[in-house]
């Protein structure tokens, strides 16, 4: 026991001092690139870890200091400290609108617009022709009305905010009639009815979970009624014995009783997906054509733009939203506005939109292209991982996610990695910790990389992650 204590003391004494390590040529290199306090903290942490390791050593280990290992520990500490918390990841889940992975990646034009306007000053709220104060809404309102046929538009921070603003402006202290079958939870225990109540509106839930008829909406209408509301059941579908009231009938009822009709569309789709062989998702334009008075939707779901909440509809109603003080609290920032405007401009040419807006491109990628990409990824994986994994290309299905097209399962190709000598769960963890992190799903002892959500220009990054993975194995 005494021998062990003496050994430990000797090893602890042999540890270099902080200032001595800082003088090492490698540390001096780091000091050029990183703040001194950060490098010093990394050195201190590495030394503390080494001290703990020495004290935990069993007896009989000869005192030896491995300077290289210590410097390696400092490098790892430093790396952990200077790496940003929010980083790009490769989405190999195949879920196109993955809420936890940031929903919609932006088109190149949107990125360029954000960069350009963010780097300097802009005419955000400045009317250049008159030299007077302008409205930030002016930059997108014309595009939105042109693309959808709506009279007016207002954009806010996200769709939950848009719903809150609309209900607060049109129905605070009064009743909103809504079907029980449409009181949706979006995820993360976030429920649309809770947001609605916060607006001060009183929900009059009608009908049942599976069936709601026009008479259910009509029956409670009275002095207190302010609005008829329809919520698109964007992340689930009730099947079997069901009935919902078509929006056209609700509009007729609203007109007959002098009540505005609002539709929370969730995912704002501007193109008719059935033209591309997908199941039809209600478009924004169809709602406006049907006579809906107010439509709300997200900017970062099927629209494929930045996080935003868009409200479109009758001028007089939109004006009420703009005059509500909540509008200021929920206002969209200039970076979002730049990205949204650029994204909307792309929709002026649908052929181009489906090619360059990443969400649409991923949704509509033909199977032949997926097969080709899967073969490339498989070749990369074999080269990087060699004998450690069995690598196969398989047919699978991807999901759209993010509250859009809930039942749609898109045929896709996945690269299945079946590790030899370790579990798929361990491989999944390693890939998650790779640079860049790769997020994938496990199925029966294989890790599946769905190539639908991996862009071609991300393949070099994926190769880098796979190579780094083989080093840590
Ligand atoms: C997604 C969704 C929302 C919330 O939109 P955010 O932009 O995420 O705030 C609201 N309503 C419906 C029907 C949705 O699908």
């Amino acid at each position: 026991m005494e021998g062990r204590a003496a050994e430990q003391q000797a090893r602890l004494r042999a540890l270099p001092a902080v200032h001595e390590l800082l003088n090492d040529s490698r540390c001096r290199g780091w000091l050029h690139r990183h703040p001194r306090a950060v490098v010093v903290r990394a050195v201190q942490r590495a030394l503390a870890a080494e001290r703990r390791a020495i004290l935990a050593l069993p007896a009989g280990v000869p005192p030896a200091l491995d300077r290289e290992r210590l410097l390696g520990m400092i490098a790892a500490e430093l790396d952990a400290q200077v790496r940003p918390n929010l980083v790009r990841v490769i989405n190999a889940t195949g879920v196109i609108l993955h809420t936890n992975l940031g929903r919609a990646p932006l088109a190149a034009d949107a990125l360029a617009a954000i960069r350009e306007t963010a780097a300097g000053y802009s005419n955000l709220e400045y009317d250049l022709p008159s030299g007077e104060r302008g409205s930030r809404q002016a930059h997108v309102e014309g595009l939105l009305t042109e693309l959808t046929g709506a009279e007016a538009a207002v954009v806010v921070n996200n769709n939950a905010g848009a719903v809150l603003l609309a209900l607060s402006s049109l129905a605070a202290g009064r009743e909103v009639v809504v079907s029980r079958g449409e009181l949706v939870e979006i995820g993360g225990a976030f429920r649309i009815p809770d947001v609605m109540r916060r607006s001060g509106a009183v929900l009059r839930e009608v009908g049942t979970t599976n069936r709601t008829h026009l008479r259910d909406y009509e029956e409670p209408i009275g002095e207190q009624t302010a609005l008829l509301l329809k919520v698109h059941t964007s992340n689930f579908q009730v099947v079997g014995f069901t009935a919902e009231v078509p929006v056209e009938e609700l509009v007729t009822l609203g007109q007959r009783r002098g009540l505005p009709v609002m539709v929370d569309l969730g995912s704002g789709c501007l193109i008719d997906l059935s033209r591309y062989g997908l199941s039809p998702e209600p478009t924004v334009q169809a709602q406006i054509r049907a006579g809906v008075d107010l439509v709300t939707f997200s900017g970062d779901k099927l629209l494929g733009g930045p996080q935003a909440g868009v409200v479109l509809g009758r001028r007089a109603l939109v004006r009420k939203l703009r005059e509500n003080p909540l509008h200021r609290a929920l206002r969209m920032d200039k970076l979002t506005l730049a990205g949204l405007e650029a994204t909307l401009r792309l929709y002026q040419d649908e052929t181009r939109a489906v090619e360059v807006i990443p969400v649409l491109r991923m949704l509509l990628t033909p199977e032949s292209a997926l097969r080709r990409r899967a073969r490339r990824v498989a070749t990369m994986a074999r080269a990087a991982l060699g004998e450690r994994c069995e690598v196969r290309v398989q047919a699978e299905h991807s999901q759209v996610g993010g509250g859009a097209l809930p039942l749609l399962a898109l045929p896709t190709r996945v690269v299945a990695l079946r590790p030899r000598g370790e579990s798929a769960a361990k491989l999944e963890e390693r890939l998650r910790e790779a640079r860049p992190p790769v997020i994938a799903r496990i199925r029966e002892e294989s890790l599946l990389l769905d190539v639908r959500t991996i862009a071609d220009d991300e393949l070099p990054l994926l190769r880098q992650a796979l190579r780094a993975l083989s080093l840590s194995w």
Side-chain angles (χ1 to χ4, degrees):
M1 210 53 212
E2 249 175 43
R4 180 180 170 217
E7 248 169 43
Q8 283 172 336
Q9 287 310 314
R11 278 196 66 168
L12 289 174
R13 269 195 307 275
L15 283 180
V18 171
H19 67 88
E20 193 188 323
L21 281 169
L22 288 175
N23 249 329
D24 182 279
S25 63
R26 241 175 301 166
C27 269
R28 285 211 305 272
W30 292 329
L31 282 167
H32 281 300
R33 271 177 284 137
H34 305 296
R36 183 176 176 85
V38 173
V39 180
V40 170
R41 189 159 59 222
V43 170
Q44 285 166 339
R45 286 195 181 164
L47 281 172
E50 186 65 3
R51 262 184 227 111
R52 280 195 304 275
I54 291 171
L55 291 173
L57 278 179
V61 178
L65 175 71
D66 186 341
R67 206 182 168 86
E68 273 311 299
R69 196 168 51 82
L70 199 53
L71 282 162
M73 285 162 69
I74 296 169
E77 272 292 340
L78 198 56
D79 189 55
Q81 286 190 48
V82 300
R83 190 188 187 207
N85 294 325
L86 183 62
V87 293
R88 179 164 184 174
V89 307
I90 292 180
N91 175 6
T93 66
V95 179
I96 298 171
L97 295 168
H98 198 305
T99 300
N100 303 139
L101 303 184
R103 283 198 193 155
L106 297 184
D109 282 16
L111 296 174
I114 290 172
R115 207 187 148 74
E116 174 65 17
T117 46
Y121 297 99
S122 62
N123 61 335
L124 179 65
E125 291 185 351
Y126 186 79
D127 183 52
L128 289 171
S130 67
E132 283 169 12
R133 180 162 197 234
S135 156
R136 66 179 65 206
Q137 300 288 343
H139 305 294
V140 286
E141 188 179 24
L143 276 164
L144 282 166
T145 53
E146 172 197 318
L147 290 168
T148 63
E151 284 177 11
V154 60
V155 288
V156 290
N157 194 41
N158 58 21
N159 188 32
V163 173
L164 177 69
L165 177 64
L167 295 184
S168 158
S169 311
L170 306 180
R174 298 174 67 206
E175 289 185 358
V176 175
V177 186
V178 61
S179 162
R180 288 203 170 84
E182 298 175 357
L183 295 172
V184 301
E185 177 175 304
I186 304 302
F190 177 82
R191 292 173 171 172
I192 278 294
D194 296 336
V195 175
M196 292 174 178
R197 283 188 198 101
R198 285 282 159 171
S199 71
V202 180
L203 289 192
R204 262 312 277 269
E205 300 167 22
V206 299
T208 60
T209 311
N210 58 331
R211 291 174 73 83
T212 303
H213 308 281
L214 194 63
R215 60 174 186 276
D216 294 321
Y217 283 94
E218 182 144 31
E219 195 264 331
I221 293 177
E223 283 290 291
Q224 276 307 301
T225 315
L227 189 73
L228 305 179
L229 173 69
K230 198 166 169 56
V231 181
H232 182 48
T233 55
S234 50
N235 54 5
F236 70 102
Q237 205 154 307
V238 182
V239 294
F241 187 55
T242 64
E244 67 170 310
V245 176
V247 72
E248 291 78 5
E249 287 181 29
L250 213 52
V251 166
T252 310
L253 175 63
Q255 284 167 351
R256 192 147 46 79
R257 306 298 295 261
L259 290 170
V261 173
M262 168 171 149
V263 174
D264 172 15
L265 206 49
S267 201
C269 193
L270 290 185
I271 65 169
D272 179 5
L273 292 176
S274 65
R275 286 186 44 199
Y276 300 87
L278 296 181
S279 52
E281 171 80 4
T283 63
V284 177
Q285 296 91 320
Q287 311 299 307
I288 299 293
R289 266 201 309 275
V292 172
D293 300 286
L294 222 49
V295 184
T296 71
F297 58 92
S298 293
D300 55 347
K301 289 185 180 171
L302 282 178
L303 189 79
Q307 179 190 304
V310 180
V311 189
L312 295 170
R314 304 233 183 267
R315 192 165 288 115
L317 299 181
V318 168
R319 189 178 307 126
K320 283 190 184 162
L321 269 60
R322 289 190 183 195
E323 288 165 358
N324 187 331
L326 260 187
H327 173 220
R328 176 61 179 78
L330 296 167
R331 83 172 178 188
M332 113 177 326
D333 86 302
K334 62 180 182 178
L335 308 190
T336 310
L337 198 56
L340 183 64
E341 181 188 349
T343 306
L344 291 170
R345 277 192 195 283
L346 293 171
Y347 278 96
Q348 289 176 313
D349 177 356
E350 183 175 315
T351 319
R352 189 162 147 70
V354 298
E355 277 168 15
V356 301
I357 295 177
V359 167
L360 299 178
R361 193 175 55 209
M362 287 187 268
L363 193 61
L364 303 175
T365 310
E367 272 192 81
S368 56
L370 294 170
R371 261 199 308 275
R372 256 196 318 277
R373 195 183 296 153
R375 280 200 296 267
R376 282 181 68 187
V377 171
T379 306
M380 269 165 43
R382 282 188 197 106
L385 302 172
E387 287 302 302
R388 295 186 187 89
C389 262
E390 184 192 322
V391 179
R392 283 211 329 238
V393 174
Q394 281 171 212
E396 259 291 338
H397 289 93
S398 344
Q399 242 129 42
V400 179
L405 307 160
L407 294 191
L408 186 64
L410 299 163
T412 190
R413 287 293 181 288
V414 300
V415 176
L417 305 178
R418 196 188 177 93
R420 298 192 173 99
E422 88 170 3
S423 66
K426 185 69 196 165
L427 181 61
E428 186 269 342
E429 188 187 318
R430 284 174 189 281
L431 265 176
R432 211 172 348 106
E433 286 165 1
R435 310 283 173 93
V438 180
I439 315 298
R441 65 182 194 271
I442 297 176
R443 160 89 63 82
E444 292 162 4
E445 275 315 299
S446 286
L447 195 67
L448 306 185
L449 306 178
D450 187 329
V451 299
R452 180 181 296 277
T453 45
I454 306 173
D456 281 328
D457 62 10
E458 283 179 328
L459 292 181
L461 286 173
L462 179 61
R463 174 184 290 126
Q464 188 184 313
L466 289 169
R467 280 196 184 144
L469 186 70
S470 71
L471 293 180
S472 71
W473 210 311

